[in-house]
Amino acid sequence: MLKHGILGLLNYGNMTGYEIMIVFRDSLSYFWQAQTSQIYRELQVLEKNGWIQSNHIEQNSKPDKNVLSITEAGRIELKKWLKEDESKGIMRNHLLMKTFFRGECSIDENIEYFKSIPKNEKVFPDGTNELMKKNLEYQQGIGDPLKALYWKFTVDFGVMYEKMLKEWCENCLHELENIKNAGDKK
Amino acid sequence: MLKHGILGLLNYGNMTGYEIMIVFRDSLSYFWQAQTSQIYRELQVLEKNGWIQSNHIEQNSKPDKNVLSITEAGRIELKKWLKEDESKGIMRNHLLMKTFFRGECSIDENIEYFKSIPKNEKVFPDGTNELMKKNLEYQQGIGDPLKALYWKFTVDFGVMYEKMLKEWCENCLHELENIKNAGDKK
DNA sequence: TGGGTCATGTAACCTGTTACATGATTAG
DNA sequence: CTAATCATGTAACAGGTTACATGACCCA
């Protein structure tokens, strides 16, 4: 999946491993995190597969760099990946795993727990405005507003997710407070 | 994370690796999938850490089994895990990664794409009723309705998530159809 | 002179996936 | 007779995390 993410970015234009890392950090990190170490490792694999080419460029006053570009085989692979619908529904939600076992804690502790989630589990730590600004920058780099639309869709998802999470916490809190009050009256 | 999930289940009662796999498949798989191979490997680590004990039981007419039980050290570890709030917001959304790069496909293809998502990305492939039934069974096994409440919270989350996903797809479809119609008129 | 940016990675480890292997019983 | 259930795993590989290493330039 990361392989194809990198491939997709290189399809927009040539980049160094470092620049790929920046794009991940600024624009994709709210739904996919990638460490530099992982990016450089995947780049080796992508090159071995013949999906990308690297071009060593010497620089003065800065370290040398490897500029990566997507190959024709890489474009074919990218299209192939976009067409297939795995639809495996891979989900690994750390938050729910912890929630599942909260019965071990007291109701008061759990009320605090659900109050803290919307604060801690922010999808966009710097807000969506920052992200939209970056989006616009990249859009100008790409030059195709239709492509940027799909970027926006993923941000929309994040916004809706954050809202849903807040609602869920409120619902859970109501139920817990009802139980607490019922217990107090007895 | 899987380690602590297993620990949490063993805290409800003694189980074999096989039974842990069943619980994952029937009750947790909509937010966490675990292969048997992984479960057995983690069980070895848990035992090495002194968090669980295994008790070999010979059976006639069935293969022998290892019944696992949580130790005092395991209970302490479980509580510790529940208290700490990593709040790393680890998110790795395959769906959004693919959406992000949909600009490579035509609008018509993408309309089909967003129509297919609610069908393919079902959180509960067998519906929530099945899950609630299982939940009730386990609840009777545990004997504590308050603990089952947190199980229900996680199901609530799944229901809300599925609903949100559907809405998101509809929003995306509207935007795409507007663009398509604007293009047709020209 | 110290921290941030640019730019590259390696090594060890942990976690998750896929494929394979065994073998008895039981229900259709 | 065949498929499912019970019950155990191993091996190899893929993907993700953490820690470390290097080094120059630029700005305050």
Side-chain angles (χ1 to χ4, degrees), chain A residues 74-86:
Chain A
R75 280 210 184 81
I76 292 167
E77 176 59 32
L78 179 64
K79 292 265 163 70
K80 197 190 122 207
W81 170 71
L82 284 167
K83 293 250 173 336
E84 71 198 16
D85 61 311
E86 316 130 280

Side-chain angles (χ1 to χ4, degrees), chain B:
Chain B
M1 183 62 55
L2 178 58
K3 279 181 187 56
H4 292 94
I6 294 172
L7 217 49
L9 291 179
L10 289 175
N11 189 45
Y12 286 141
N14 300 349
M15 275 185 239
T16 65
Y18 188 74
E19 287 167 322
I20 291 169
M21 181 271 285
I22 306 271
V23 179
F24 265 92
R25 195 193 55 198
D26 290 349
S27 298
L28 289 92
S29 61
Y30 64 95
F31 69 82
W32 205 281
Q33 300 88 44
Q35 261 60 47
T36 25
S37 57
Q38 210 190 336
I39 290 170
Y40 283 108
R41 189 175 47 183
E42 295 296 355
L43 285 173
Q44 286 172 17
V45 179
L46 290 180
E47 199 172 0
K48 213 177 285 167
N49 291 356
W51 298 341
I52 62 169
Q53 276 178 337
S54 83
N55 183 18
H56 186 85
I57 290 178
E58 282 178 47
Q59 293 186 118
N60 43 356
S61 85
K62 272 184 194 173
D64 293 1
K65 59 182 180 178
N66 282 308
V67 177
L68 291 323
S69 51
I70 193 168
T71 62
E72 203 42 44
R75 281 210 185 81
I76 291 167
E77 177 60 31
L78 179 64
K79 293 264 164 72
K80 196 189 121 206
W81 171 70
L82 285 167
K83 294 252 176 328
E84 74 198 14
D85 61 311
E86 317 132 278
S87 68
K88 289 186 187 181
I90 300 160
M91 217 335 178
R92 234 168 277 275
N93 192 317
H94 290 234
L95 182 67
L96 291 190
M97 183 66 102
K98 218 165 237 188
T99 304
F100 199 84
F101 295 110
R102 293 305 299 186
E104 293 312 302
C105 301
S106 71
I107 288 196
D108 284 322
E109 278 177 300
N110 286 332
I111 286 174
E112 280 316 301
Y113 171 73
F114 283 107
K115 277 183 183 166
S116 73
I117 291 171
K119 292 171 209 155
N120 295 336
E121 296 281 327
K122 280 207 168 301
V123 179
F124 308 105
D126 314 319
T128 49
N129 287 342
E130 266 308 301
L131 203 71
M132 287 301 194
K133 232 185 275 175
K134 297 278 178 193
N135 189 341
L136 202 70
E137 276 173 40
Y138 286 118
Q139 187 189 325
Q140 284 159 353
I142 299 161
D144 185 347
L146 240 171
K147 287 184 182 179
L149 177 66
Y150 298 93
W151 293 40
K152 191 192 80 79
F153 284 166
T154 65
V155 178
D156 292 344
F157 182 99
V159 172
M160 288 175 84
Y161 182 84
E162 209 164 281
K163 201 181 138 216
M164 185 217 85
L165 192 66
K166 220 183 132 198
E167 271 174 44
W168 175 69
C169 289
E170 280 162 14
N171 292 349
C172 294
L173 278 170
H174 279 147
E175 290 200 42
L176 287 176
E177 267 154 13
N178 283 342
I179 290 168
K180 200 193 163 186
N181 292 338
D184 286 352
K185 276 179 193 163
K186 270 183 200 165

